[in-house]
Amino acid sequence: MACVTTPPPRVLRRIRFRSPLRGPWLTSVLGVVLLACLPLVIVTGLLDYAAYGPGQGIPADVGWLRLPAFDWPTRPAWLFQLTQGLHVGLGLVLAPVVLAKLWSVIPKLFAWPPVRSLTHALERISLLLLVGSTLFEFATGILNIQYDYVFGFSFYTGHYIGAWVFLASFVTHVALKLPTTVRALRSRSLRRELATSREDTVPEPPDDTGLVATDPAPPTLSRRGLLGTVGGGALLVGLLTAGQSTGGPLRDVALLLPRGRQPGEGFPVNRTAAAAGITAESTGASWRLTVTGGHELVLTRDDLLALPQHTARLPIACVEGWSTVQTWTGVRLRDLATLAGIPDPASASVTSLERGPFAQATLNSGQVTDPDSLLALRVNGEDLNPDHGFPARVVVPALPGVHCTKWVRSIAFRSAR
């Protein structure tokens, strides 16, 4: 009995993809770039979540998606600056490559029949999940950088769950398509394609991938031109964004990011005192720091200034990808712990005058006892200003910026014994 194939719906019959550039080879070249780089974006993103410490990330309760608990180290001091900078910076640089890859495979999203076999169904599902989660992760990440939360749900929760959907679909899709990718890459020479002009550009041979146009239009761009455009776009994005993580001369050209260039007050802040509801009265002469451990201490700012001071040059790096390195002066946290009767602290709970989800942070033993971990009172030789955490803030090597708590009102040290 002959097999009857249902014709595609009329709306699909009207959609025609005629670019002579599309084909397995071009898609595979773009895919290999993403295969080499996206795992680094994934790993650094998960490491950044782990850096907040057990139960302190958002979302806190992630069930079986929970990562193995470990104490985030303080050395090298630029560790979080590196992981967060790579996660955000490389993600932005890859945006042109992702868009080009989606353009190259868009005919498969409209292929008919939608399912031809069990393997094909799995491939289609993984492709749809991969495309959807990729667009979701890039869109929410870029909007978070711009502090634009039009999506109406928690960025942290959505981005974290979306990352696992992306990871699962990415691994599945790679496993299914890797043999096809290897064959496609071997079918053409990259060097030869890069030497081929637009006039000499011809479609790839027809095959069963559904990517090669059956009725190709004349080329308006060579594959060399397309790859150059994508690569140039990625380079431009890198130049216009990298400065907020790397600092130096590139910071002045980081035009695409809200924390790229240094504002008038000296270096970036995520949350101003006014935005956090911090008033001059709460940080004025009546401010006191409560330190607890073996016993309780209540200290004024003058009391803290009278204690031995330590100076360290340390970075602060934030989830939006920006970082800054400044010279901080204040009291070592381990010295405060000793004063409170806890010479061997296992942890410390730091509480801010601010209210909200990041008004408290728990530091592990290594973060408390590191010789450069400070309750900072000054920065770059000047008293902290209100936006930078006056009268006192925590600064710890390699700690996520949001846990370098500003406007500190209490520190509770806990003993290891």
Side-chain angles (χ1 to χ4, degrees):
M1 182 176 179
C3 180
V4 179
T5 302
T6 305
R10 182 177 300 177
V11 65
L12 292 185
R13 293 199 297 267
R14 292 177 178 176
I15 298 175
R16 302 176 68 193
F17 299 100
R18 301 187 61 200
S19 172
L21 303 185
R22 284 193 183 94
W25 182 85
L26 179 63
T27 295
S28 297
V29 169
L30 297 169
V32 164
V33 174
L34 295 178
L35 181 60
C37 298
L38 282 178
L40 186 56
V41 177
I42 296 168
V43 169
T44 52
L46 294 177
L47 284 175
D48 291 342
Y49 179 81
Y52 287 90
Q56 296 191 83
I58 298 179
D61 184 10
V62 294
W64 56 274
L65 293 179
R66 183 182 297 108
L67 296 174
F70 65 95
D71 283 345
W72 186 255
T74 58
R75 301 294 164 173
W78 41 261
L79 178 60
F80 190 77
Q81 182 182 20
L82 174 66
T83 58
Q84 189 58 46
L86 276 175
H87 179 68
V88 175
L90 185 56
L92 289 169
V93 166
L94 289 176
V97 185
V98 168
L99 293 176
K101 178 68 160 57
L102 293 178
W103 171 87
S104 75
V105 300
I106 197 169
K108 294 183 73 67
L109 300 178
F110 297 91
W112 192 265
V115 176
R116 295 193 298 267
S117 65
L118 181 60
T119 302
H120 186 240
L122 184 59
E123 178 191 340
R124 294 278 287 177
I125 292 171
S126 71
L127 178 62
L128 291 173
L129 287 175
L130 181 61
V131 170
S133 61
T134 298
L135 292 175
F136 178 84
E137 291 296 280
F138 273 80
T140 54
I142 291 171
L143 287 170
N144 177 62
I145 291 170
Q146 302 298 329
Y147 303 110
D148 188 349
Y149 301 104
V150 295
F151 36 78
F153 53 81
S154 168
F155 160 75
Y156 300 97
T157 301
H159 204 69
Y160 185 78
I161 295 174
W164 285 102
V165 174
F166 168 80
L167 179 58
S169 58
F170 179 76
V171 171
T172 301
H173 195 71
V174 169
L176 290 171
K177 301 303 293 183
L178 189 58
T180 301
T181 298
V182 172
R183 288 195 302 271
L185 290 173
R186 289 175 175 173
S187 69
R188 286 175 174 250
S189 164
L190 176 62
R191 180 180 299 180
R192 185 175 303 161
E193 286 295 332
L194 294 180
T196 301
S197 65
R198 184 191 68 183
E199 291 75 15
D200 295 328
T201 297
V202 296
E204 295 185 41
D207 65 1
D208 59 357
T209 63
L211 298 176
V212 180
T214 56
D215 181 24
T220 57
L221 190 70
S222 65
R223 291 185 182 85
R224 173 182 64 189
L226 186 144
L227 293 175
T229 300
V230 173
L235 178 61
L236 179 62
V237 171
L239 289 174
L240 295 179
T241 58
Q244 78 163 6
S245 296
T246 63
L250 284 179
R251 190 177 290 278
D252 290 333
V253 297
L255 304 177
L256 296 184
L257 300 170
R259 295 298 184 266
R261 291 171 290 179
Q262 293 183 357
E265 64 266 25
F267 60 93
V269 294
N270 253 18
R271 192 165 171 81
T272 64
I278 304 299
T279 63
E281 290 76 18
S282 64
T283 58
S286 63
W287 175 84
R288 297 292 185 272
L289 173 71
T290 301
V291 182
T292 58
H295 52 267
E296 181 177 291
L297 300 172
V298 179
L299 304 171
T300 67
R301 196 168 190 276
D302 286 340
D303 292 334
L304 292 169
L305 287 168
L307 294 173
Q309 303 291 295
H310 178 72
T311 297
R313 188 161 177 80
L314 297 172
I316 286 182
C318 286
V319 69
E320 291 83 8
W322 69 265
S323 60
T324 182
V325 181
Q326 307 296 331
T327 301
W328 307 90
T329 301
V331 183
R332 284 186 170 111
L333 292 179
R334 67 185 188 184
D335 292 345
L336 283 175
T338 300
L339 282 175
I342 307 293
D344 55 346
S347 64
S349 178
V350 183
T351 305
S352 172
L353 293 170
E354 180 185 8
R355 304 295 179 185
F358 294 115
Q360 181 170 309
T362 299
L363 308 178
N364 64 43
S365 176
Q367 291 166 338
V368 177
T369 58
D370 188 283
D372 285 340
S373 294
L374 301 175
L375 180 69
L377 306 172
R378 311 186 83 202
V379 60
N380 299 328
E382 302 289 340
D383 287 345
L384 296 170
N385 69 30
D387 290 341
H388 291 314
F390 181 87
R393 72 172 298 166
V394 165
V395 179
V396 172
L399 188 68
V402 74
H403 280 178
C404 289
T405 308
K406 298 191 284 188
W407 313 296
V408 176
R409 65 181 176 90
S410 67
I411 305 177
F413 294 102
R414 296 177 179 85
S415 175
R417 297 173 185 173

